Amino acid sequence: MAINEFKAFATGENANVIDQNEYEELEALTEGFQSGIARSEQLNKVWRQATTGVAALAQFISDTTNTDVYDNGEPAEFLANFIHSLEIKSLSRKNPFSDIMADGEAAINQAVTNLRLGAGAPAIGIPFFWPSSTMPNTVMDEWADMVFLKLNGSTFSATVYPKLSLVIPTLKLPDARGEFPRIWDDGRGIDNGRGILTTQSDASQKIYAKFYLRTSSNNNSVSAWGGDGFTAENITDVGTNPFEAISISQPSKTRVTLDTSMIVRTANETRPRNIAFNFLVRAK
């Protein structure tokens, strides 16, 4: 027998639920529970009504297709299985179930719309790149009642954004403006000593170069200035000196300067090629 993981809630003979008349007169039926404490029998009634229909629909899918129906959070899979079950039913009868299938698909599509899954609603607390300075809730109709924050180092209230505070308990958003994200090393040993959300300054690997100076004799080096990054060395061994010794009455001074801008593109920071995105997080 196929498995159906969707179960109706509070369906027992002595279930603690309010009767239908009291439920229909409940103020929260239209406005929702606003404040105070909702009684358990009121909540049980809400949950029973919400789960009974889903459980029955899942059982119909399971019985018709003889396949397991799992509560795995995949609405697209649930919809596909439901449509498939209607197709099986339509083929098993002389008259097609096209109207029922259309109504069923419309109902599922409406549910997807109500859950705002059509636009791929982002989860609270997960940062994401956004290709616009305009906030997502003004672009996507499905996200109109959501709140998005920029990762700009600002603080936020746990009372206003309780779910976000679970993800970022410091109540302070990281300032990601102008930064490159880097995946946490987590013990691999490439980027040692880093914690999650810690910052790191720019740097480049050491550039090492060597140059030689012509000397006035085999044992007396000419005074010289080295450019930034260079270190001048006195070479007295003729065997390691690539230049022949010369004799002059007054040694000359030589200045050597290293200018990488004559070789590569330079700037006031070390960076790869990149493209600028807005970096946001859903807060509510």
Side-chain angles (χ1 to χ4, degrees), residues 6-7 29 48 59 79 83 99 116 159 174 216-217 223 229:
F6 289 86
K7 306 299 180 184
L29 188 63
R48 184 168 74 178
Q59 192 61 50
L79 173 60
I83 294 175
D99 292 339
R116 295 170 296 187
T159 302
S216 60
S217 68
S223 299

Side-chain angles (χ1 to χ4, degrees), residues 260-261 263-267 273:
T260 58
S261 67
I263 305 171
V264 296
R265 290 180 293 273
T266 58
R273 288 184 55 173

Side-chain angles (χ1 to χ4, degrees), residues 24 49 53 56 82 93 97 102 115 117 119 145 154-155 160-161 166 175 189 203 213 246 256 269 272 275:
E24 292 181 1
Q49 291 218 348
F82 175 61
R93 299 189 178 189
F97 265 41
L115 293 172
L117 297 175
D145 62 339
S154 60
T155 58
V160 179
Y161 305 120
L166 297 177
D175 194 347
L213 301 176
I246 59 173
V256 178
E269 61 181 354
I275 182 171

Side-chain angles (χ1 to χ4, degrees), residues 25-59:
E25 294 175 359
L26 188 66
E27 183 178 349
L29 188 63
T30 56
E31 302 299 330
F33 295 109
Q34 298 294 320
S35 62
I37 300 176
R39 303 202 318 265
S40 60
E41 62 267 31
Q42 295 173 336
L43 294 175
N44 288 338
K45 179 70 170 181
V46 173
W47 293 331
R48 184 168 74 178
Q49 291 218 348
T51 58
T52 300
V54 175
L57 180 60
Q59 192 61 50

Side-chain angles (χ1 to χ4, degrees), residues 91-106:
L91 292 174
S92 66
R93 299 189 178 189
K94 293 181 180 180
N95 297 323
F97 265 41
S98 57
D99 292 339
I100 297 178
M101 288 176 61
D103 292 342
E105 185 174 358

Side-chain angles (χ1 to χ4, degrees), residues 147-202:
V147 177
F148 297 89
L149 301 177
K150 296 180 180 180
L151 296 178
N152 58 6
S154 60
T155 58
F156 63 91
S157 167
T159 302
V160 179
Y161 305 120
K163 297 297 184 182
L164 183 61
S165 69
L166 297 177
V167 182
I168 308 178
T170 61
L171 305 183
K172 182 179 176 63
L173 298 169
D175 194 347
R177 294 172 296 176
E179 303 285 358
F180 291 99
R182 184 172 189 174
I183 298 173
W184 180 39
D185 184 275
D186 195 17
R188 186 181 181 189
I190 295 176
D191 189 26
N192 287 319
R194 298 285 305 283
I196 291 181
L197 295 184
T198 59
T199 59
Q200 187 178 57
S201 180
D202 61 322

